[in-house]
Amino acid sequence: MLQKRQEADIRELNKSLNEFRMMHQQPDGRREFDLYDPDYLKKDKPARVHDDDPRLTISGLQKFDGEDLNNKARTKYQHEQLREWSEKQKQEREQADANQREADRLYELKMRELDQRAMELAKAEEDCRRAINIATKDYNKALENETNEKRRLHKQQELDDNHTELANHIYGDILTENPAVAQSAWGPHRVITDRWKGMSPEQIAQIKKTQADQIKETERLRQEEELRNKEWDRQRVAMARAGELLERQQERVRKEMNKQQAIDNLRLGQEQKSHKDFLYNEVYTNPPTAAYFMQFNTTSR
């Protein structure tokens, strides 16, 4: 939409420029036009132009004492010429004012566009910061939930291990001293209490093996927990670095926009100055002075 509006403004400027050329830069306004004017003969001076024509000699019989044939026409022509000059100066001033208004309008449109772009960038930055904050909050909450769950599981595991260890001590071979003679007829899991003399070497070895397996399992769980903690730390560092990189990118975009805005402002200032220089150096090059008007009505004739 902004591009279409800029194209319409450019077309309007080109149209104004062509109208200015058609009005003020016609071929008959050139200084050397009289050298190749096709109507040169039609515009050539007649035998008698006015009473003070130096070509009027006595033998030419074109001028007689007491004549003033061109008084009315000359006076009328002078008034018309003065009126045309005033009208032309008025049109030039109006055209210059219109051109200045058009330049001011384009400058205002450009400033509005830059302001809108800055507002959009600020909104995008705010949305990005809000999304980062939400993601960080969700991440912290998930981390907290996971930590609480790990603590609960660890506590539950520790409680189960304690119960298991207590049961092993109570019903294990260490305290029951289960010898081979204490084997019950009801199954290998039952003993005769008054005959049980302690554990066998195989039972003791089995207990030690179970303890070693528990130690290994505990070490494995500890290593897994350490790896999970390292992974969470790595993810936190990665997210912090991503946020820092995003802020740096936004800062670079902001600096680039400020630089582009300064360049556009400088270019618009130069265009406006060039346009004013063109008006004052090319268009308004021959203003009438007081000496020009002082040459009229200087005699009684």
Side-chain angles (χ1 to χ4, degrees):
M1 182 176 179
L2 291 176
Q3 184 177 1
K4 291 182 178 180
R5 187 166 55 189
Q6 290 178 352
E7 292 176 356
D9 295 336
I10 292 174
R11 287 196 299 270
E12 190 66 25
L13 283 176
N14 292 333
K15 181 179 178 182
S16 301
L17 181 61
N18 291 331
E19 291 178 355
F20 177 82
R21 289 173 176 173
M22 292 179 62
M23 292 176 60
H24 304 288
Q25 293 181 351
Q26 295 297 323
D28 55 359
R30 299 177 181 176
R31 292 181 297 179
E32 64 275 7
F33 180 73
D34 56 340
L35 300 178
Y36 52 87
D37 187 1
D39 298 331
Y40 174 74
L41 295 177
K42 295 179 181 180
K43 299 177 181 179
D44 194 13
K45 294 181 180 180
R48 179 176 178 179
V49 179
H50 52 77
D51 295 340
D52 297 333
D53 194 343
R55 300 177 302 166
L56 300 180
T57 59
I58 297 176
S59 61
L61 297 178
Q62 295 292 328
K63 178 181 178 182
F64 300 94
D65 293 338
E67 288 184 332
D68 189 9
L69 302 179
N70 296 327
N71 184 25
K72 285 186 178 181
R74 184 177 67 254
T75 304
K76 182 179 179 181
Y77 175 76
Q78 289 174 351
H79 287 297
E80 291 178 354
Q81 189 178 25
L82 182 60
R83 184 170 58 256
E84 289 178 0
W85 286 345
S86 300
E87 185 66 25
K88 184 177 181 181
Q89 289 179 353
K90 179 181 178 182
Q91 293 177 358
E92 289 178 353
R93 285 195 299 269
E94 290 177 353
Q95 184 65 30
D97 294 339
N99 293 337
Q100 182 64 35
R101 287 193 300 271
E102 183 67 17
D104 294 340
R105 187 179 69 83
L106 292 178
Y107 178 77
E108 183 178 359
L109 290 176
K110 186 62 178 178
M111 293 301 297
R112 288 181 181 177
E113 179 184 357
L114 293 176
D115 293 341
Q116 182 67 24
R117 189 180 303 172
M119 291 175 62
E120 292 175 356
L121 180 60
K123 185 177 182 300
E125 181 180 0
E126 183 65 24
D127 295 340
C128 183
R129 185 180 294 106
R130 188 180 297 109
I132 292 175
N133 293 334
I134 293 174
T136 304
K137 182 179 179 181
D138 295 340
Y139 171 77
N140 293 333
K141 185 171 182 61
L143 183 61
E144 182 182 1
N145 294 334
E146 182 179 0
T147 303
N148 294 332
E149 183 65 19
K150 284 165 55 178
R151 290 176 179 175
R152 188 188 67 79
L153 292 176
H154 180 71
K155 185 176 181 180
Q156 184 65 33
Q157 182 67 31
E158 185 178 1
L159 183 61
D160 293 342
D161 292 342
N162 293 334
H163 288 167
T164 302
E165 184 179 2
L166 182 61
N168 290 334
H169 284 297
I170 293 174
Y171 303 104
D173 295 337
I174 295 176
L175 297 179
T176 57
E177 299 179 357
N178 184 18
V181 296
Q183 200 72 34
S184 175
W186 297 100
H189 61 284
R190 301 186 66 178
V191 296
I192 302 174
T193 57
D194 57 341
R195 297 181 182 180
W196 189 74
K197 300 299 182 179
M199 294 182 296
S200 64
E202 291 80 7
Q203 292 175 338
I204 295 175
Q206 183 64 31
I207 291 175
K208 291 182 178 180
K209 182 178 180 300
T210 303
Q211 290 177 349
D213 294 339
Q214 290 178 352
I215 293 173
K216 292 180 180 180
E217 181 66 18
T218 303
E219 181 65 20
R220 184 183 64 81
L221 293 176
R222 186 187 65 78
Q223 292 178 356
E224 290 181 355
E225 182 178 1
E226 184 178 359
L227 290 176
R228 284 196 298 269
N229 292 333
K230 289 182 179 180
E231 180 64 20
W232 280 109
D233 292 339
R234 187 186 63 81
Q235 291 182 4
R236 283 197 298 269
V237 172
M239 290 189 65
R241 181 172 178 80
E244 183 179 358
L245 292 176
L246 181 60
E247 291 180 358
R248 291 180 180 177
Q249 179 66 21
Q250 291 175 353
E251 184 66 22
R252 286 195 295 268
V253 171
R254 188 184 300 107
K255 290 181 179 179
E256 185 65 24
M257 288 192 62
N258 293 334
K259 181 179 179 182
Q260 185 64 32
Q261 182 177 2
I263 293 174
D264 293 340
N265 292 336
L266 181 60
R267 179 178 57 80
L268 289 174
Q270 292 176 352
E271 291 179 357
Q272 186 175 8
K273 184 177 182 301
S274 300
H275 185 68
K276 289 183 178 180
D277 293 340
F278 171 76
L279 291 177
Y280 289 109
N281 296 331
E282 299 294 336
V283 179
Y284 309 140
T285 58
N286 192 19
T289 60
Y292 171 78
F293 296 101
M294 291 296 294
Q295 64 180 336
F296 301 107
N297 298 326
T298 57
T299 63
S300 60
R301 293 183 63 183

